[in-house]
Amino acid sequence: MSLSVNGRTKVFGIFGWPVEHTFSPMMHNSAFNSLGLDCIYVPFPVSPDLLGKAVEGIRSLGLSGVNVTIPHKSNVINYLDEVSPEARLIGAVNTVTNKDGILTGYNTDAMGFVKSLKLDGGTDPAGKRVMILGAGGAARAVSIQLALSGIKTITIASPVAEEINSLSETITGSLNISVNGINWVKENISSCLEGTDILINATPVGMHPNTNVMPPVEVGLLPEHAMVCDLIYNPGETLLLSKAAELGLKTLNGIGMLLYQGAIAFELWTGIEPPIEIMRDALKRALTR
Ligand code: NAP
């Protein structure tokens, strides 16, 4: 069923710069249509210097909620009324609700990864020893949410010492988790693999179009029960994941994280259980276009 826009239609959207490549409109509009909701989701190209005015526009135009993507995820916090404790720790917001003019920020990227790990990957992170590759925005969100989900230890491997230090400080300062920061060198990474239950690539290494490269990980050194995750969703199977699968290890790509961040945002905005399989199909169609 396709709905027409009218005077009562609720408007949702995404603020990004650029925003042309977003998959969120396809996911959310499919969900609205399938449930017969009088809602629409549109992309808003918002340049960094106009972010404050755009956020004020959520109130003045009566938008019902928005997603926020690169490069606004950190700066948007300055313009919101409230921020969830998790998003505050992460330092980034990707979803804003508008309840009677009160704008509240959440980080559903981080929640989306943990949900995908549990539902698609069949793995509960509680008590697990995690290694994360990268210490940028996505690594920060995922590490902090995993720490909040009760993991035992986390090893952070990155070429950027300042990012490792900042992430380690946040985790050890607020949560009782042991953090090990290591330099981006194959030998250092190798020496920690045996004690890893969940390995997560949170760098763009292996992402389209550079699909023939992978992080410096000797996957054969991981224990047999290990789960290998890649936050990359294009391609659906990175070189890292294909090497892990060849060895019989469990693998998880980034499509579930993308799906569940949208599904959690949908529920925050509408209070309605999201039609997951409709959203998953819309995302798959968008990704293969
Ligand atoms: P980011 O903030 O730019 O961080 C990327 C991190 O990877 C940085 O620490 C960066 O170090 C490091 N890095 C980049 N190239 C590297 C290389 N060749 N070798 C070693 N380290 C390298 O990016 P992000 O937003 O966190 O995104 C990271 C990945 O997650 C991307 O592939 C993105 O597509 C994916 N992601 C997926 C989802 C999802 O929903 N599935 C959501 C968000 C992100 P430098 O600072 O030195 O470059």
Side-chain angles (χ1 to χ4, degrees):
M1 178 174 57
S2 173
L3 296 170
S4 58
V5 175
N6 61 76
R8 289 177 301 277
T9 304
K10 289 185 175 168
V11 180
F12 298 84
I14 180 163
F15 292 178
W17 186 260
V19 79
E20 287 85 358
H21 304 294
T22 178
F23 299 116
S24 294
M26 290 73 113
M27 238 191 331
H28 287 290
N29 287 321
S30 295
F32 293 147
N33 284 340
S34 78
L35 298 177
L37 299 177
D38 192 358
C39 301
I40 190 167
Y41 185 107
V42 289
F44 294 104
V46 173
S47 69
D49 54 320
L50 294 177
L51 178 63
K53 286 185 176 163
V55 174
E56 195 42 49
I58 300 173
R59 262 190 285 262
S60 55
L61 298 173
L63 303 186
S64 298
V66 296
N67 283 131
V68 179
T69 189
I70 290 168
H72 303 312
K73 288 186 186 186
S74 298
N75 287 344
V76 73
I77 289 178
N78 299 323
Y79 305 107
L80 300 176
D81 301 308
E82 290 168 17
V83 174
S84 76
E86 296 85 358
R88 179 75 66 191
L89 264 186
I90 293 165
V93 155
N94 78 317
T95 298
V96 178
T97 58
N98 178 4
K99 304 279 186 222
D100 302 322
I102 307 292
L103 305 183
T104 305
Y106 299 86
N107 193 307
T108 71
D109 285 327
M111 291 189 263
F113 173 76
V114 173
K115 200 155 187 172
S116 174
L117 187 63
K118 288 182 178 171
L119 297 183
D120 300 331
T123 299
D124 186 338
K128 300 289 192 304
R129 299 161 302 171
V130 173
M131 183 191 291
I132 192 144
L133 306 173
R140 191 175 167 86
V142 164
S143 305
I144 291 171
Q145 196 69 39
L146 285 171
L148 289 165
S149 307
I151 55 168
K152 191 173 175 191
T153 60
I154 185 158
T155 298
I156 305 164
S158 168
V160 193
E162 304 79 49
E163 285 182 346
I164 296 181
N165 293 342
S166 152
L167 181 50
S168 302
E169 274 167 29
T170 305
I171 294 176
T172 50
S174 318
L175 306 153
N176 192 20
I177 308 285
S178 144
V179 183
N180 175 28
I182 60 172
N183 198 0
W184 187 260
V185 176
K186 189 169 185 176
E187 292 69 35
N188 294 359
I189 294 174
S190 292
S191 66
C192 299
L193 289 174
E194 197 188 348
T196 296
D197 303 311
I198 304 174
L199 173 77
I200 304 161
N201 177 33
T203 76
V205 179
M207 191 164 74
H208 177 81
N210 302 312
T211 53
N212 59 349
V213 291
M214 62 178 275
V217 174
E218 195 83 51
V219 273
L221 297 175
L222 285 161
E224 275 176 17
H225 68 265
M227 157 75 91
V228 179
C229 310
D230 205 320
L231 302 192
I232 292 171
Y233 48 81
N234 183 13
E237 188 179 60
T238 57
L239 191 54
L240 172 68
L241 292 191
S242 73
K243 294 259 185 222
E246 269 170 28
L247 292 173
L249 301 176
K250 285 180 286 178
T251 62
L252 183 71
N253 66 21
I255 295 178
M257 176 175 175
L258 193 57
L259 168 68
Y260 288 112
Q261 65 75 27
I264 298 166
F266 182 97
E267 191 156 4
L268 284 169
W269 292 328
T270 63
I272 295 170
E273 193 178 326
I276 293 289
E277 293 314 316
I278 298 281
M279 296 176 86
R280 195 191 300 271
D281 285 349
L283 192 52
K284 279 188 188 156
R285 280 198 306 277
L287 281 166
T288 50
R289 230 178 247 163

